[in-house]
């Protein structure tokens, strides 16, 4: 077992976990943060997306030992409320399995474009969210929600 | 779940990492984990202990060196897209743009791509076409191996068990050169290539003669392969018919594709020929024939 300390949603947490435990399992099973979902477990679907130091990653492929001393944001964290509301309002959520990952991936790309002064376009969003699969919505509602969250057209 | 490794070493310095490799064999190297974590989960790979490089900041750099650029093994695919100092090697950004999706690009590393020696790796053909030299480092020193001497076979490299992939060096480019990168997959994002090709070509502005061509392809043999037949263009002024002919030769002689879950051998040869012909046409600016 290894001892690990990292920041989750602004709070420092310490855990004792198996050597190559996945960040996904540490969040869900050791820290009871079950908002992060597992879809494929192989990096394909993005359901497990969380932010590490602001960058979106698939927590199913991240060994938890690599987030020691780093900053992790999950769907339970603060700072993406307006995106969550936009998803609810625009029909961006159906079964909800992809939603936590979609929202964090959306948050990351909107933050990046804002910081770099780049426009938020539908084409850009479709590329930025290409690693997040949704089996329910057909993506229209998700793109509309992301555009609304950015303050663009709905 | 996979059998759990007994130990994970997470050193903060390169010297310690090399000592772990030398003293704790057998150890499996872990970078971003986007290949290894999947291999472990599916049970294709089993490990006794793991050397986690993620905290070795000395392997995370891009710097000018000897008229070219040296890229540290832990450089991520995202960094290949963003680093202004890689602007003279636009093939890297082109390859990175088509690589997986954002979440993977933020974790997948250059060293990890080389380490997999996957025949489908997108960076393999790019680094080959750019004449890259891989630097391996052990406690005893360094070895510099050009890509063809490093990628030996299906998921097999020339790396010794006590060596790390430390970095890769790319020579500077000539202003007359044009490059192209094409990946054929099932969708734009998140797809492993059915065929992937990188090509660099130049011609003499005065005579119009081709001065150099270097191209390599992935997913068409058990490892990344050079499209050596294209060398016959050097010193010639090829027209569209010549490019068609040479691309046919390359697709028949330079590769040995197989049928697998992603595609068939027949399709791969066909796609390779078409892609190579298009890439030659655009990089050499050969006018299309009339009628
Ligand atoms: C969903 C998904 C999509 C993908 N899409 C693509 C794609 O589009 N194109 C593509 O080319 N690949 C793709 N990959 C494969 C993978 O992302 C790449 O191979 C990546 O470059 C691996 O880097 P890593 O740092 O994650 O390597 P790791 O998984 O950490 O390591 C990979 C291998 O290299 C060895 N290794 C790593 N670093 C070193 C080092 N410094 N010295 C010695 N050995 C080392 C490891 O022991 C291991 O065998 C994809 C993977 C997934 C899961
Ligand atoms: S569960 Fe991690 S990408 Fe699908
Ligand atoms: S809402 Fe069901 S998978 Fe997206």
């Amino acid at each position: 077992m290894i001892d690990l300390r990292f920041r989750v949603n602004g709070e420092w947490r310490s855990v004792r976990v198996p050597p190559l435990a996945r960040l996904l399992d540490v969040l869900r099973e050791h820290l009871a943060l079950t908002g992060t979902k597992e879809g494929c477990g192989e990096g394909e679907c993005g359901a497990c997306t969380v932010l590490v130091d602001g960058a979106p990653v698939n927590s199913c492929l991240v060994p938890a030992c690599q987030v020691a001393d780093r900053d992790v944001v999950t769907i339970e964290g603060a700072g993406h409320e307006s995106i969550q509301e936009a998803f609810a309002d625009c029909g961006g959520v159906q079964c909800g399995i992809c939603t936590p990952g979609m929202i964090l991936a959306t948050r990351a790309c909107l933050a990046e474009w804002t910081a770099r002064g780049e426009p938020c376009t539908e084409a850009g969003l479709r590329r930025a969210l290409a690693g997040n699969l949704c089996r329910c919505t057909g993506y229209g509602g998700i793109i509309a929600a992301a555009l609304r969250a950015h303050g663009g057209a709905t | 779940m996979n059998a759990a490794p007994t130990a994970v070493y997470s050193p903060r310095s390169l010297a310690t990492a090399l000592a772990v490799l030398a003293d704790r064999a057998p150890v499996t190297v872990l970078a971003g984990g986007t290949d290894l974590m999947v291999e472990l989960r599916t049970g294709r790979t089993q490990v006794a202990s793991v050397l986690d490089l993620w905290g070795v900041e000395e392997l995370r750099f891009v710097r000018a060196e000897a008229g070219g650029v040296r890229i540290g093994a832990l450089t991520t695919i995202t960094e290949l897209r963003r680093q202004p100092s890689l602007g003279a090697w636009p093939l890297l950004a082109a390859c990175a743009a088509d690589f997986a999706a954002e979440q993977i690009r933020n974790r997948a590393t250059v060293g990890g791509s080389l380490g997999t020696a996957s025949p489908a790796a997108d960076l393999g053909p790019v680094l080959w076409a750019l004449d890259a030299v891989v630097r391996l480092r052990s406690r005893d020193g360094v070895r510099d191996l050009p890509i063809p001497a490093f990628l030996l076979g299906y998921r097999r490299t020339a790396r010794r068990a006590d060596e790390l992939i430390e970095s890769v060096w790319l020579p500077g480019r000539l202003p007359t050169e044009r490059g192209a990168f094409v990946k054929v997959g099932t969708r734009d994002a998140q797809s492993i290539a059915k065929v992937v090709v990188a090509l660099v070509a130049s011609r003499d502005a005065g005579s119009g003669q081709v001065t150099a061509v270097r191209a390599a392809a992935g997913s068409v043999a058990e490892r990344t392969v050079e499209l050596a037949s294209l060398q016959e263009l050097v010193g010639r002024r090829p027209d569209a018919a010549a490019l068609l002919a040479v691309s046919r030769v390359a697709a028949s002689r330079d590769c040995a594709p197989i049928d697998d879950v992603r595609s068939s051998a027949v399709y791969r040869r066909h796609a390779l020929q078409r892609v190579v012909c298009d890439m030659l046409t655009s990089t050499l600016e050969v006018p299309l024939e009339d009628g």
Side-chain angles (χ1 to χ4, degrees), chain A residues 19-20 22 38 41-44 49 55-58 61-63 65-66 70 105 112 116 127 130-133, chain B residues 5 8 30-34 37-38 40-42 50 52 54 82 97-98 101-104 106-107 187 189-190:
Chain A
L20 226 51
R22 306 182 300 171
E38 175 162 15
E42 295 189 5
E44 297 278 350
T49 301
V57 300
N58 293 322
L61 295 185
V62 176
C65 58
Q66 294 187 348
R70 294 182 194 257
E112 189 185 313
R116 291 203 271 140
R127 281 199 76 84
N132 294 81
L133 303 184
Chain B
V8 174
L30 168 71
T34 61
M37 293 294 279
V38 178
L40 289 176
R41 185 181 160 80
T42 55
V50 170
D52 165 21
W54 202 249
R82 300 281 160 71
D98 285 351
E102 195 66 15
Q103 289 93 328
I104 299 282
N106 286 333
R107 300 272 315 166
R187 63 185 280 243
Q190 205 77 309

Side-chain angles (χ1 to χ4, degrees), chain B residues 92-140:
Chain B
L92 294 173
C95 170
D98 285 351
F99 196 108
E102 195 66 15
Q103 289 93 328
I104 299 282
R105 290 193 289 266
N106 286 333
R107 300 272 315 166
T109 66
V110 172
S113 177
L114 287 166
T116 65
S118 161
D122 294 339
L123 269 180
V126 171
L127 295 176
W128 192 311
L130 293 175
D131 298 311
V133 179
V134 180
R135 173 160 289 177
L136 298 168
R137 184 179 288 277
S138 73
R139 223 160 37 175
D140 302 331

Side-chain angles (χ1 to χ4, degrees), chain A residues 93-99 133-137:
Chain A
V93 184
Q94 286 186 30
C95 80
I97 288 287
C98 72
T99 313
L133 303 184
C134 175
R135 299 188 65 177
C136 304
T137 66

Side-chain angles (χ1 to χ4, degrees), chain B residues 189-214:
Chain B
Q190 205 77 309
S191 68
I192 306 291
K194 295 172 190 281
V195 169
V196 51
V197 186
L199 184 147
V200 177
S202 54
R203 61 196 303 172
D204 185 81
S207 69
Q209 283 182 346
V210 175
T211 47
V213 192
R214 172 91 70 212

